[in-house]
Structures are given as structure tokens and as C-alpha cells.
Amino acid sequence: MQRLPLRRALSAAASAPVRRALSTASRRPPWAMVEKYVAVGSPERRVSLRLAEPPCGSRLIAPAHLVGYAPRVPDPDTDELNAFFAGFVKAASGDGLLLLTFMEVTGTAPLVPGGGGWRALTGISIDPDMTRFVCNPISGELFGLPDIDGTKKTAWFSDIGILTQSERPHGPPDRYAVALFREDSVGYRGGDERFAMRRCLSQTGKWDKLVGLPSPLPLHRRRMNTSTQEVVAFAGRLWWVDLR
């Protein structure tokens, strides 16, 4: 679960940079626990939050058409269909924004001979399509992030976090950054591993890539498997937590 502060939350239009802040009603609790899995299929125009009093888990419900899910008729030539679609809360900012990831797995389901039109799932793709959004769970607004490196085949980018920043001390956030990093030892000698960081800023709406960053880890902790780590926003920074 993610811990979500509800005293204030950022309001971001789906097609414009962040411009305004949203103050939540005083009757809401100061924080909530949000379930990791996002329900998909609501016919509403916005994301909805079924708020539960802590320590019970609140549930996020996303309209299928907003997150890119549409059941597909099996392809008559390849028998391909979308076998699995799921949404996850990957990270939370200190001001209440959520980073959502949606995964679509395709599969093949040929017709069963004599089965009266029934199909049997015979295989699934091991390289799913990934789509990411920044979500304001209070207003229900979504901001779609562009594909990383121009492709949806980015399931290995799981160590991703979101950080907000305000122009005024203790004020609502005015902008956000989504960031991830991976080890990049190509071209470097042993013991001199470097990292590459990708980040997407709300001001630009694009991913940029910083390469050749020195490893933040001591020598005996190098070769860290970042795909299993959690990213936490705390004290104005993003922290990649080494659970080992």
C-alpha cells in the first residue's frame, strides 16, 4: 500500500503543465492508505477514490477508456488478443500525487476444434506494453506520461518515483518530476560502474536521459538490482531504497 497525504494535492490538467493546486475538504482524514492495485473499468469521466478511514485501504478506480484499455476481438490471422490488463500504484509524492502504471499482456487463443467458438489460451507475451500516468486521486485527474525511449516495452523500468516542488515554502506543489535510474556499466572499467537516469518534468512533458553518473553505492554494494527496489519521496528528494 501507499501512504497518501490528503491535506493538499496537486491538480494537473491532462494536456497542460501543472498550474494550480487543490485543497481538500476539512472533513477528509489527513492521510489514507491506498491499495497497490488499481481497479479498471469504471464508466466515469475521471478516476475515483473510494476513501476508507485509516488503517483500512482506499481503492482507486480508473475508467478503462482513460488508461487505454479496450477488449480486442481475437485477430483472425494470428489469434492474438489482450490476455491481461492491470494497473498498479507505483509511487506517491509527499503531496499526494500518485504514479500509476498499467500493463497490457497479449496472448494467443486459437479456436478449439469442435468447441463451438470457444478459444483456449495457448501462450502469452513476456514483454508487455506499459503505460504510465500521474494521478491526482482527489480531483480524479490524470496526466499521461510519454513512452520511455519511444516504446511501451519498458516493463524492466520498475524503479520509478515521483517528486514535487513548490515555489512557496510549505505551499502546494507547482511542478513534478518522474525519475528512474539503472546501472550503465557499458564502456566503464570494472569497479567503476556508472548509472543512467531518465526523468520526465511536468514543465516539458518529455523524457531526458543523464548518462555517466557516478555510482552512489560503496564498492561492495555495486551491481545493485534496482528492479526490486522501492522509491520513496522524502525531504525534497527521491530515495532508492536498497532492501538488502
Side-chain angles (χ1 to χ4, degrees):
M1 289 189 177
Q2 291 285 350
R3 184 183 184 277
L4 172 68
L6 296 180
R7 289 192 178 92
R8 62 178 183 269
L10 193 70
S11 177
S15 60
V18 177
R19 296 182 184 274
R20 62 191 186 278
L22 174 70
S23 296
T24 58
S26 59
R27 62 183 175 83
R28 299 184 188 274
W31 62 275
M33 298 288 286
V34 181
E35 294 183 5
K36 181 179 182 66
Y37 299 101
V38 179
V40 178
S42 167
E44 303 297 328
R45 297 177 60 185
R46 295 190 176 194
V47 172
S48 60
L49 176 67
R50 291 186 179 175
L51 196 60
E53 290 288 338
C56 296
S58 300
R59 166 154 291 199
L60 206 65
I61 305 173
H65 69 280
L66 289 185
V67 297
Y69 174 68
R72 290 191 296 175
V73 176
D75 188 290
D77 297 322
T78 64
D79 295 321
E80 187 177 85
L81 45 68
N82 48 353
F84 177 75
F85 190 91
F88 309 91
V89 179
K90 290 298 296 181
S93 75
D95 293 282
L97 287 187
L98 299 177
L99 180 62
L100 309 182
T101 296
F102 291 87
M103 172 190 296
E104 181 176 4
V105 179
T106 58
T108 52
L111 288 168
V112 176
W118 184 70
R119 293 178 177 270
L121 187 65
T122 58
I124 61 172
S125 170
I126 60 173
D127 195 8
D129 287 352
M130 310 297 291
T131 308
R132 297 173 176 86
F133 297 87
V134 173
C135 174
N136 181 337
I138 305 303
S139 68
E141 293 172 292
L142 283 177
F143 182 89
L145 298 179
D147 296 334
I148 301 173
D149 295 343
T151 177
K152 292 186 179 297
K153 306 296 185 181
T154 53
W156 57 88
F157 287 134
S158 60
D159 53 319
I160 186 167
I162 180 170
L163 186 69
T164 55
Q165 188 179 65
S166 175
E167 296 288 354
R168 296 156 290 174
H170 310 296
D174 299 295
R175 62 183 65 89
Y176 65 79
V178 176
L180 59 93
F181 79 93
R182 291 184 67 84
E183 191 176 65
D184 181 18
S185 59
V186 177
Y188 298 101
R189 294 174 296 178
D192 189 30
E193 286 81 3
R194 298 298 176 111
F195 283 82
M197 173 171 287
R198 291 168 174 83
R199 64 184 182 185
C200 182
L201 306 180
S202 57
Q203 302 98 302
T204 65
K206 299 178 180 180
W207 288 97
D208 58 35
K209 184 178 179 181
L210 307 176
V211 299
L213 301 177
S215 173
L217 302 173
L219 185 61
H220 69 284
R221 303 294 288 277
R222 302 285 172 87
R223 298 290 178 180
M224 170 178 160
N225 181 11
T226 57
S227 65
T228 62
Q229 307 308 302
E230 295 292 337
V231 189
V232 179
F234 178 72
R237 296 187 179 187
L238 281 180
W239 301 81
W240 277 261
V241 183
D242 183 356
L243 300 178
R244 299 175 300 174

